[in-house]
Amino acid sequence: KAGVTQTPRYLIKTRGQQVTLSCSPISGHRSVSWYQQTPGQGLQFLFEYFSETQRNKGNFPGRFSGRQFSNSRSEMNVSTLELGDSALYLCASSLNLNNEQFFGPGTRLTVL
Amino acid sequence: AQSVTQLGSHVSVSEGALVLLRCNYSSSVPPYLFWYVQYPNQGLQLLLKYTSAATLVKGINGFEAEFKKSETSFHLTKPSAHMSDAAEYFCAVNDNQGGKLIFGQGTELSVKP
């Protein structure tokens, strides 16, 4: 079975721009979660989707948003990028809620 | 609120020595606990999980962890370190309310030849 895939793997943007990151879960998995990883703050939960519904949201500003499609693929969007948004964004999928999560390789976002 | 504390941001061992990475958690409900490993420029790989079954959990690559409720700990061990074990290790807790994992700050493991 193919693992979690994330596109693009690397992205460079400038302040004020917006960005969309994509995540394809493992086939059959219905839950997708997103995390931000930075050297200073570590791994922080962004949000979780299950059956196209946001089930849980972390403590991030409204510039961070996401969605899930009927095929369980998910996207997250960050608008009005700030330097502090530079991070590794990780997507994880699980079969259902409360199952173990399997992570993708991440998208490395650099904001200049 | 749930939290995870990993003692030691950096642990260095010699090849063949015991690996012990410490994790303490706080949770108001019986937690699910996980250990993940991250190699450079990669995502997280699940090593093992505790979900209220056996307190001693065996994972991949020879790792195991013991859940001790009285100590609120879930330390990760491996009897004999290999060079390939050098990576960053994360302990995480889930409050059984969905997919939100709370991670510790991570412990970077170095293995000396």
Side-chain angles (χ1 to χ4, degrees), chain B residues 64-82:
Chain B
E64 62 182 37
E66 185 172 9
F67 173 71
K68 291 187 177 180
K69 185 178 178 181
S70 61
E71 299 177 8
T72 59
S73 69
F74 190 57
H75 301 332
L76 181 71
T77 60
K78 182 174 180 177
S80 176
H82 291 175

Side-chain angles (χ1 to χ4, degrees), chain A residues 35 37 48 98 100-101 103-104, chain B residues 36 38 43-44 49 98-99 101:
Chain A
Y35 296 84
Q37 185 177 24
E48 176 195 20
N98 301 327
E100 63 263 35
Q101 296 180 28
F103 284 78
Chain B
Y36 284 88
Q38 186 177 35
L44 303 176
K49 63 177 181 179
L101 291 174

Side-chain angles (χ1 to χ4, degrees), chain B residues 19-88:
Chain B
V19 176
L20 170 60
L21 304 182
R22 301 177 187 273
C23 171
N24 288 88
Y25 69 92
S26 70
S27 175
S28 57
V29 297
Y32 286 5
L33 292 159
F34 305 85
W35 275 99
Y36 284 88
V37 61
Q38 186 177 35
Y39 298 100
N41 299 315
Q42 293 187 28
L44 303 176
Q45 181 183 10
L46 180 67
L47 279 176
L48 49 79
K49 63 177 181 179
Y50 167 77
T51 56
S52 73
T55 56
L56 183 61
V57 181
K58 293 189 184 300
I60 62 171
N61 302 339
F63 285 94
E64 62 182 37
E66 185 172 9
F67 173 71
K68 291 187 177 180
K69 185 178 178 181
S70 61
E71 299 177 8
T72 59
S73 69
F74 190 57
H75 301 332
L76 181 71
T77 60
K78 182 174 180 177
S80 176
H82 291 175
M83 296 296 291
S84 60
D85 294 328
E88 189 150 23

Side-chain angles (χ1 to χ4, degrees), chain A:
Chain A
K1 237 182 204 181
V4 177
T5 57
Q6 292 187 244
T7 56
R9 290 293 311 278
Y10 301 91
L11 208 46
I12 299 176
K13 293 285 187 179
T14 56
R15 280 180 296 174
Q17 287 187 309
Q18 77 164 22
V19 67
T20 299
L21 311 182
S22 181
C23 171
S24 292
I26 293 170
S27 177
H29 284 196
R30 298 165 64 194
S31 176
V32 173
S33 298
W34 289 88
Y35 296 84
Q36 181 196 64
Q37 185 177 24
T38 59
Q41 299 299 316
L43 281 153
Q44 294 187 286
F45 172 79
L46 279 157
F47 23 65
E48 176 195 20
Y49 289 88
F50 181 80
S51 294
E52 301 178 67
T53 302
Q54 187 180 89
R55 294 301 180 118
N56 216 335
K57 191 176 191 305
N59 189 24
F60 279 82
R63 300 186 296 107
F64 290 81
S65 62
R67 58 179 176 169
Q68 186 181 33
F69 302 95
S70 57
N71 61 359
S72 294
R73 192 176 69 84
S74 177
E75 288 181 349
M76 67 164 280
N77 184 277
V78 188
S79 62
T80 320
L81 284 165
E82 300 177 359
L83 295 179
D85 297 333
S86 294
L88 181 66
Y89 290 88
L90 293 163
C91 167
S93 77
S94 60
L95 195 59
N96 288 300
L97 295 172
N98 301 327
N99 290 116
E100 63 263 35
Q101 296 180 28
F102 297 88
F103 284 78
T107 294
R108 172 78 60 187
L109 172 65
T110 302
V111 182
L112 302 176

